[in-house]
Amino acid sequence: MPDAPVLEVRGLTVEYLTDAGPVRAVERFDLDILPGEFVGVVGESGCGKSTMLFGIAQLLSPPARVSEGSVRFRGHDLVTMTDRQLATTRWRDLSVVMQSAMNALNPVAQLGDQFADAMRAHGERSRATIRQRAEEVLALVGIDLVHLKSYPHQLSGGMRQRAMIAMALLFNPDLVIMDEPTSALDVVAQRSLMLQVKQLQQQLGFAVLFVTHDMSLVSHFSDRLVVMYAAKAVEIGSTKEIFANPGHPYTEGLLDAFPSIRGPRLPLTGIPGSPPNLLHPPVGCRFAPRCPKRFEMCDVEPPFYDAGTSRAACHLHALADKKVVQ
Amino acid sequence: MSRHYTEGAPLLETRGLTRHFKVGGAIARKTLHAVDDVEFTIRDREIVALVGESGSGKSTVARLLARVYRPTSGEIYYRGRALSSFRTRRDLLGYRSDVPMVFQDPFASLNPAYRVSHGIMRGLALHRPDIPRHQRRAEAERILERLGLDPAGEALDRFPYELSGGQRQRIGFAQALAYRPRLIVADEPVSMLDVSVRIGLLNLMAGLRDEQGVSILYITHDIASARYIADRIMVMYAGHLVESGPVEQVLQDPRHPYTQLLVAAVPDPRAELTVDKVDHGEPPKVVDPTPGCRFRWRCPWVEDVCHRITPELVELSPGHSAACHVAAARAGYGDVAVAVADSGDRH
Ligand SMILES: Nc1ncnc2c1ncn2[C@@H]1O[C@H](COP(=O)(O)OP(=O)(O)O)[C@@H](O)[C@H]1O
Ligand SMILES: Nc1ncnc2c1ncn2[C@@H]1O[C@H](COP(=O)(O)OP(=O)(O)O)[C@@H](O)[C@H]1O
Ligand SMILES: [Mg+2]
Ligand SMILES: [Mg+2]
């Protein structure tokens, strides 16, 4: 029997209550993550990736709120947990790495002190233990121990992100949630951080939920991929299969938008238009207004179809007699 | 004004371009070499990409070209004329309208207190005396439409914060275009944008070159995008130019080990993952350097000579140069020992 998922998200819906009305930034989102699995989530800016991660980690603050759905982490629903229960679970079992380390690290405290604060907040009293663990995690991410005495601004962008990851690993979590941790880095630093995360994941066995707007970034690292468009998942499947054989026209558009450094220099097409305003999303398939393959059925919201190698929310699969799945 | 410029001179040329910064406290004064002895040429109707890791000196080059910084030494020639000889307001305005800059973060160049129209109309007032006041608004709309901002009238009346990232970046270009530029210095103009928006802007840049003969210095760390629009590419490492040449040649046959590392780091969904080793190297902060190749600490080919003598750019095939003792020796330009004898004491 396969392992039980470490995370089970069901029907997660997050709303921002604005003066103009509720904005649903995440709508009926489902996701299972198995122990040790690396799941990538891709989509254009504004499609709800960060909101979804914050909704899972229960880090939302007004005007955002989870309006529906459940997030079961190792069997317990985080949505209905008290703040106290959450405080122990978060970081210890499930930790979050933010987009910008500059915002997440305390600019006026040395790294070592920040590690110590985090451990004390979770009940660790022994200074020796704290010191030893801080050294262990820094070594894990390949940062020299002299930097325990460094302030964040003294580190390069790549090192700051690695320090963030070291912090996230302090308690040996089962799941690490990452929100575009490499978006401020250049290609070389990006690649080295991705390799680092993958290596740590294999070594320590935690699962990763990794969000990015750059699909090429996760191509070699994630086991499974979720493609998001306008607050909804539109395709889910194995990363390899989706890259080889995208089941949704939006995924196809994202892939065609990538300049490749090898092979023939093809003209880049991209995706015309821009994503909808989530205050008034289009009825039916939300991608239809930009879709080169739209047809009559697209006025109705598509269910997920079994597209063979992945599940995709696109009516084209109905034409090919594929089955609706849930 | 044209009488000042030299007929037939390249659009822009730098010689020995160098910019240092004083760092450290009053006692331990040190010199950071952000850009050292950088020489390149940009011709009419040409997109030249400048790539390299963060901290390699790309933005400093851009700021030198935009006259935000003065060179510590060396010179920039615009159409044959040394920038240091530009004295009058007319000269400087002329240069600024010919060579505008577009920044990575369009917020930095858009005044948040003003509507989009403000900056563009101001540019037109300053740099386009040929357009009468009452026609400026129509001209601004024309420019925005050309950039695909539709309806242009509506976009002009927006505030920067009301626009998406892609729209703001287009406005950044619109401001530059209001000047009727010859050369746009674009510092990471698309790196914060989504792929679909990014492509629109890349095609826009290519269109400016092809249809209006505008040249662009395209600064980026996104090498794959450079491949699609650039004619030539220059690679910087730690303040030095280490390789330059026609874009296809440099990317398909990189000669400098650093360029090879850069090319290998580009994620390519269509290829298998080749690198599996974590490279924690970082471009050094070049403080009070001694002679020697600045890449030597990370270099897989390092030789004795690399610790002693800074390699010069050597043309290894027509138009394609690299600054590497070993690459030069491999290309048949003497052996490494000969390279030693030939090199100056550049550092
Ligand atoms: N503070 C807010 N108030 C209202 N709507 C918001 C707010 N923050 C985000 N949103 C809405 O949520 C959507 C998704 O945002 P976000 O989760 O940040 O997307 P992503 O991380 O994919 O870029 C946005 O397009 C916007 O419509
Ligand atoms: N005003 C400044 N004062 C001191 N150092 C600077 C200044 N501007 C840039 N530098 C340093 O010069 C080097 C090159 O920086 P920059 O040109 O911004 O690189 P890039 O644009 O390639 O990331 C870096 O080490 C940077 O810290
Ligand atoms: Mg986000
Ligand atoms: Mg820069």
Side-chain angles (χ1 to χ4, degrees):
Chain A
M1 205 180 94
D3 285 340
V6 52
L7 187 80
E8 299 171 74
V9 181
R10 289 290 174 278
L12 182 67
T13 301
V14 181
E15 291 180 347
Y16 289 92
L17 303 172
T18 73
D19 294 341
V23 172
R24 292 190 152 190
V26 178
E27 213 168 305
R28 281 173 285 135
F29 192 86
D30 294 337
L31 179 68
D32 281 356
I33 300 181
L34 297 175
E37 195 180 24
F38 192 127
V39 176
V41 180
V42 300
E44 286 166 284
S45 308
C47 74
K49 304 181 299 294
S50 298
T51 308
M52 184 264 292
L53 290 190
F54 277 51
I56 288 175
Q58 305 306 305
L59 290 167
L60 294 167
S61 52
R65 66 182 186 105
V66 173
S67 60
E68 278 171 60
S70 63
V71 178
R72 298 183 82 79
F73 177 71
R74 299 197 309 187
H76 304 285
D77 189 0
L78 300 179
V79 176
T80 56
M81 262 190 198
T82 63
D83 286 347
R84 237 185 116 145
Q85 289 169 314
L86 272 176
T88 39
T89 297
R90 230 188 278 134
W91 213 332
R92 186 171 283 285
D93 304 317
L94 172 163
S95 60
V96 184
V97 177
M98 305 285 183
Q99 184 156 9
S100 161
M102 240 4 199
N103 298 338
L105 293 172
N106 180 349
V108 296
Q110 296 173 350
L111 277 191
D113 291 342
Q114 304 199 37
F115 285 20
D117 283 348
M119 292 186 71
R120 267 186 233 112
H122 283 86
E124 183 52 64
R125 294 276 169 267
S126 152
R127 292 183 61 172
T129 310
I130 288 174
R131 168 95 199 172
Q132 189 196 350
R133 186 62 191 153
E135 289 183 359
E136 276 169 15
V137 290
L138 268 198
L140 273 177
V141 299
I143 293 182
D144 195 294
L145 298 186
V146 300
H147 290 303
L148 280 171
K149 291 247 174 295
S150 292
Y151 293 90
H153 70 88
Q154 293 172 317
L155 308 176
S156 71
M159 261 209 266
R160 277 200 295 269
Q161 290 303 132
R162 293 211 301 275
M164 285 285 299
I165 291 170
M167 287 262 252
L169 298 181
L170 274 174
F171 305 103
N172 270 322
D174 298 320
L175 174 65
V176 180
I177 292 178
M178 301 190 179
D179 191 3
E180 315 219 22
T182 68
S183 64
L185 306 179
D186 63 56
V187 273
V188 177
Q190 231 173 40
R191 167 55 54 104
S192 105
L193 195 83
M194 291 306 290
L195 285 166
Q196 179 88 72
V197 168
K198 189 75 191 174
Q199 224 172 55
L200 288 169
Q201 186 215 3
Q202 284 167 347
Q203 188 182 337
L204 305 175
F206 53 83
V208 174
L209 177 57
F210 190 102
V211 152
T212 175
H213 70 267
D214 183 352
M215 193 162 179
S216 66
L217 195 66
V218 287
S219 58
H220 292 121
F221 299 98
S222 70
D223 304 308
R224 256 176 341 121
L225 199 62
V226 181
V227 182
M228 237 178 130
Y229 184 77
K232 289 182 174 176
V234 296
E235 183 166 6
I236 302 181
S238 116
T239 307
K240 264 213 174 83
E241 300 282 9
I242 288 181
F243 270 88
N245 199 2
H248 195 286
Y250 178 61
T251 316
E252 222 175 300
L254 281 182
L255 283 171
D256 286 344
F258 272 103
S260 162
I261 195 167
R262 295 161 200 95
R265 209 150 98 164
L266 302 169
L268 294 176
T269 48
I271 307 168
S274 40
N277 182 340
L278 293 178
L279 194 56
H280 308 290
V283 289
C285 170
R286 292 182 174 185
F287 185 59
R290 299 171 77 186
C291 185
K293 298 182 176 169
R294 71 174 295 183
F295 63 116
E296 310 82 59
M297 279 182 85
C298 305
D299 296 339
V300 179
E301 189 184 339
F304 270 103
Y305 293 89
D306 177 354
T309 46
S310 68
R311 286 182 294 145
C314 173
H315 288 302
L316 285 170
H317 299 292
L319 296 183
D321 279 334
K322 298 285 202 248
K323 289 209 172 56
V324 172
V325 289
Q326 219 14 267
Chain B
M1 195 161 58
S2 56
R3 65 196 148 91
H4 295 292
Y5 298 114
T6 312
E7 206 60 45
L11 183 61
L12 187 116
E13 190 175 6
T14 72
R15 288 195 208 136
L17 188 62
T18 297
R19 173 69 207 204
H20 296 166
F21 294 103
K22 295 277 174 236
V23 291
I27 314 151
R29 267 267 144 130
K30 292 194 161 121
T31 306
L32 185 147
H33 293 220
V35 170
D36 259 346
D37 201 11
V38 162
E39 309 211 329
F40 61 85
T41 301
I42 300 174
R43 290 180 284 267
D44 284 308
R45 199 180 280 274
E46 180 176 53
I47 298 181
V48 179
L50 177 60
V51 304
E53 281 164 281
S54 17
S56 57
K58 306 182 299 296
S59 293
T60 303
V61 168
R63 291 190 188 114
L64 286 164
L65 297 188
R67 294 177 56 90
V68 176
Y69 297 151
R70 295 301 152 88
T72 302
S73 62
E75 185 60 90
I76 298 164
Y77 297 88
Y78 178 61
R79 296 165 70 195
R81 220 185 127 193
L83 282 200
S84 61
S85 73
F86 285 39
R87 297 268 184 267
T88 65
R89 185 179 138 81
R90 214 178 84 155
D91 277 347
L92 293 173
L93 265 183
Y95 178 72
R96 220 186 307 146
S97 66
D98 280 7
V99 187
M101 227 179 130
V102 176
F103 297 93
Q104 166 171 22
D105 177 7
F107 263 132
S109 53
L110 296 178
N111 190 328
Y114 291 110
R115 293 178 200 279
V116 163
S117 54
H118 177 84
I120 298 175
M121 308 269 276
R122 208 171 129 255
L124 289 173
L126 262 166
H127 300 289
R128 298 284 299 277
D130 55 307
I131 298 172
R133 179 187 203 101
H134 68 276
Q135 283 177 18
R136 278 181 206 145
R137 168 114 193 161
E139 173 67 14
E141 288 190 11
R142 241 176 33 78
I143 293 172
L144 290 202
E145 262 159 30
R146 223 172 59 218
L147 295 186
L149 279 161
D150 217 18
E154 207 170 281
L156 276 175
D157 290 327
R158 294 278 176 82
F159 287 95
Y161 68 83
E162 295 179 305
L163 302 170
S164 71
Q167 286 171 329
R168 282 204 298 270
Q169 201 53 279
R170 275 163 207 266
I171 302 292
F173 272 94
Q175 285 194 352
L177 287 181
Y179 299 0
R180 263 218 296 230
R182 302 286 304 269
L183 168 65
I184 298 176
V185 177
D187 192 358
E188 312 233 15
V190 301
S191 59
M192 312 215 306
L193 304 176
D194 281 309
V195 269
S196 57
V197 185
R198 203 185 300 177
I199 286 173
L201 274 160
L202 292 174
N203 290 336
L204 171 86
M205 286 194 269
L208 287 174
R209 170 194 56 197
D210 299 340
E211 284 144 36
Q212 297 181 50
V214 176
S215 296
I216 298 173
L217 179 65
Y218 173 46
I219 298 177
T220 183
H221 63 250
D222 179 7
I223 300 165
S225 74
R227 181 180 178 214
Y228 274 79
I229 58 162
D231 303 291
R232 287 189 298 126
I233 190 167
M234 311 191 291
V235 183
M236 264 188 106
Y237 186 78
H240 280 156
L241 269 192
V242 297
E243 185 153 3
S244 80
V247 69
E248 248 349 67
Q249 258 188 54
V250 171
L251 296 184
Q252 301 314 320
D253 182 21
R255 301 297 190 90
H256 196 285
Y258 176 63
T259 314
Q260 296 182 354
L261 173 72
L262 267 186
V263 169
V266 176
D268 190 340
R270 296 166 188 86
E272 286 296 309
L273 181 64
T274 46
V275 202
D276 51 5
K277 171 174 138 277
V278 179
D279 165 55
H280 280 161
E282 314 236 345
K285 278 217 179 291
V286 187
V287 176
D288 296 334
T290 50
C293 176
R294 291 180 182 171
F295 188 60
R296 63 188 185 271
W297 314 111
R298 283 167 86 177
C299 185
W301 301 346
V302 63
E303 296 278 352
D304 276 354
V305 58
C306 309
H307 291 283
R308 288 180 284 116
I309 292 165
T310 312
E312 303 258 3
L313 277 174
V314 176
E315 193 171 35
L316 300 177
S317 60
H320 184 177
S321 310
C324 169
H325 295 305
V326 179
R330 285 183 186 173
Y333 286 80
D335 54 24
V336 171
V338 175
V340 177
D342 284 346
S343 309
D345 56 354
R346 174 184 152 201
H347 54 80

